[in-house]
Amino acid sequence: MGIVAGLDSSPDFTRIVVCDSDTGSVLRQGYAPHPLESADGQGRPSDVDPQAWLLSLGEAAGGGLLEGVQAIGVSAQANAVVPLDSQGNTVRPALVGGDRRAQVAAADLVDALGGREAWAHAVGCVPQAAHAVTKLRWLARTEPEAAARTAVLLQAHDWLVWQLLGRPIRRTTDRGGASGTGYWSAASGGYRPDLVELALGHQAMLPEVIGPADAAGTTPEGLLISAGTGETMAAAFGLGIGLGDAVVSLGASGSVMAVHSEPLVDQSGMITSLADATGMHLPVVTTLNAVRTLRGTAELLGVPDLEGLSDLAMKSTPGAHGLVLLPYLEGERTPHLPHTAGTLAGLRREAMKPEHLARAAFEGMLCGLADALDVLRGRGVDVRRVFLLGAAAELPAVQAAAPALFGTQVVVPQPADYGAIGAARQAAWALGASRGTLDARTPPPWQGAVAQVLEPGEELAVGQAVRQQFVSVREQTHPGAFRP
């Protein structure tokens, strides 16, 4: 068929991969940081001029990177809202990231619809500060003039696709991106305009949701542009996960997602019911404490880095001599304990050694993520293998404990630009479907991620005993808080 490109516009940079459309082999790559400055000179800004995304895109695509490319897919950061006026101009900079300014707005919205259960039933998620719908509420309360001028709502990948196509009258999105807004339901497959009005104070135009293999359009130069999707969905598609697969992502906070054949409506709000980039569903459960647990423990023990903490933990044994760390250092979402703190239990004289606390930190983090996995399993989601992502997935202490604690095969993919690769795979699918060489229901069978495969093996029984020790402490400390 030829060659295709995938463009991933993350919060910090643009990455582009150019791939063989039949096999997925990466032929060329480009990279450029966004030209961003935060208001205080520290951290990421919460308001971003979308033109910054275009500038880095142009730089990343320099040097003839896209020469010969026939189709482009776009992946972009989730939770970014680009408010446009009736002329298609930005009303204000895009609202991006997990914007802490919107925390009060999230609570307002939850109350306005009648509680967490009402939101979970309506759109498969409970508003958090990061959600698009919450940002609209913040805008209406804080910048009413800008809110009043907002006529069109786009997300980051919608806006980039629209720009690549020359700003046509038709604006599009995909199921994956739409499912993270808080005003589109993966269960019904439709928007909830009433929730936009509840948040923004009036209706706004929303992009048309097109199918996974549909093209958003063609550029004046004849380049096909696929539907695009959110970064999470693109990464899942780039990894090649399917039914029976879960992905555990180790960031400061953690997330567990899995491919499922139907949407999950979770009245407790622990599950966020997203759609994926293939027509399936992607239920997600998040924890507030993952790698931040390790970093805090390293600081407490005076260890300079996570590699050192891992080496220390490997000097201990499974179960950390009875030490159990409930890693709820920032409160917790799974279980729902927003105002709690962490707990260290099982202190005995022989356990009071740095290596045992280091081991307890790794086991506590992984047991918290195993709890999140159990939420999905408890709703009938099949989990036969777990893909482990994030820099911490490379740590020996994580790899030694994860298979037995998760109770399944663990796959550690080699680091790669999976968001960009997923976007390129989507472009190849749309290109093939438009030419009649690929079925619109079946994506191109690209090579899977190169990965290390870890089996629980003989450690399974020991791991499950450690897990039970954690569950017992959790139930004694927070009785009834966790109901998977």
Side-chain angles (χ1 to χ4, degrees):
M1 277 166 51
I3 58 174
V4 294
L7 181 165
D8 180 29
S9 182
S10 83
D12 299 313
F13 53 77
T14 298
R15 284 197 191 278
I16 301 175
V17 296
V18 176
C19 300
D20 181 289
S21 58
D22 291 322
T23 65
S25 296
V26 176
L27 308 174
R28 304 190 288 272
Q29 301 182 62
Y31 166 86
H34 298 320
L36 300 179
E37 285 186 19
S38 59
D40 58 4
Q42 297 180 347
R44 291 174 180 158
S46 297
D47 296 326
V48 172
D49 182 347
Q51 293 297 326
W53 307 333
L54 282 183
L55 289 170
S56 68
L57 192 167
E59 188 179 339
L65 184 79
L66 298 180
E67 190 175 330
V69 165
Q70 295 156 307
I72 297 177
V74 177
S75 156
Q77 60 183 297
N79 305 318
V81 181
V82 186
L84 304 179
D85 63 19
S86 56
Q87 305 303 309
N89 300 312
T90 50
V91 168
R92 70 177 313 284
L95 295 147
V96 301
D99 196 336
R100 287 183 176 272
R101 297 176 302 184
Q103 285 176 332
V104 173
D108 282 351
L109 280 178
V110 171
D111 291 343
L113 196 65
R116 295 168 61 85
E117 288 189 12
W119 278 97
H121 184 74
V123 287
C125 66
V126 177
Q128 306 288 334
H131 282 124
V133 71
T134 307
K135 292 182 168 77
L136 298 183
R137 181 74 156 198
W138 178 88
L139 189 64
R141 292 282 187 269
T142 313
E143 301 177 9
E145 291 183 7
R149 289 195 296 121
T150 298
V152 181
L153 295 171
L154 298 180
Q155 294 179 84
H157 75 84
D158 309 335
W159 187 85
L160 284 165
V161 164
W162 184 58
Q163 294 291 331
L164 290 172
L165 291 172
R167 297 163 61 104
I169 294 172
R170 181 190 188 219
R171 300 178 182 93
T172 62
T173 190
D174 87 308
R175 296 168 65 254
S179 67
T181 59
Y183 44 79
W184 187 88
S185 165
S188 69
Y191 281 115
R192 287 288 302 265
D194 57 315
L195 299 182
V196 174
E197 187 167 353
L198 179 69
L200 188 62
H202 61 87
Q203 296 287 349
M205 285 186 64
L206 302 169
E208 176 190 346
V209 181
I210 61 177
D214 290 346
T218 307
T219 69
E221 299 77 31
L223 262 177
L224 182 142
I225 309 295
S226 62
T229 195
E231 227 170 10
T232 299
M233 298 78 189
F237 198 36
L239 279 167
I241 68 169
L243 289 171
D245 293 333
V247 176
V248 173
S249 185
L250 300 176
S253 53
S255 69
V256 176
M257 64 180 178
V259 178
H260 198 48
S261 57
E262 57 190 34
L264 294 180
V265 176
D266 174 54
Q267 302 297 355
S268 73
M270 275 201 293
I271 298 173
T272 297
S273 191
L274 300 177
D276 79 348
T278 73
M280 301 285 276
H281 295 269
L282 206 61
V284 179
V285 180
T286 58
T287 68
L288 290 180
N289 302 279
V291 175
R292 64 164 43 99
T293 305
L294 304 183
R295 295 204 182 281
T297 306
E299 288 173 16
L300 180 66
L301 293 174
V303 178
D305 52 32
L306 297 187
E307 288 75 17
L309 188 71
S310 174
D311 292 344
L312 193 58
M314 293 298 284
K315 295 176 181 176
S316 181
T317 53
H321 272 244
L323 281 190
V324 176
L325 178 64
L326 301 183
Y328 307 150
L329 309 183
E330 299 276 329
E332 190 46 84
R333 284 187 62 184
T334 307
H336 185 62
L337 296 165
H339 307 299
T340 194
T343 301
L344 183 63
L347 280 171
R348 292 186 178 86
R349 176 66 191 88
E350 64 272 16
M352 296 177 75
K353 293 182 179 179
E355 59 264 33
H356 302 323
L357 179 55
R359 180 86 189 196
F362 281 96
E363 290 178 348
M365 175 188 76
L366 292 169
C367 284
L369 289 159
D371 278 352
L373 265 174
D374 280 353
V375 172
L376 296 179
R377 285 172 166 146
R379 295 298 307 277
V381 177
D382 185 25
V383 178
R384 292 192 297 275
R385 60 178 179 169
V386 169
F387 284 73
L388 202 54
L389 301 185
E394 303 287 335
L395 296 172
V398 169
Q399 296 190 5
L405 292 177
F406 292 159
T408 191
Q409 183 186 86
V410 169
V411 179
V412 184
Q414 283 187 2
D417 301 321
Y418 292 111
I421 291 167
R425 190 178 180 202
Q426 187 195 63
W429 193 7
L431 183 65
S434 73
R435 293 175 169 177
T437 57
L438 284 177
D439 189 329
R441 295 164 298 182
T442 309
W446 281 14
Q447 303 159 348
V450 177
Q452 185 178 3
V453 178
L454 310 168
E455 300 284 356
E458 295 176 359
E459 295 294 313
L460 182 60
V462 175
Q464 292 307 290
V466 172
R467 180 82 205 290
Q468 190 53 51
Q469 184 176 263
F470 177 91
V471 169
S472 297
V473 172
R474 188 196 65 220
E475 280 303 302
Q476 289 165 14
T477 312
H478 304 287
F482 185 74
R483 297 186 183 90

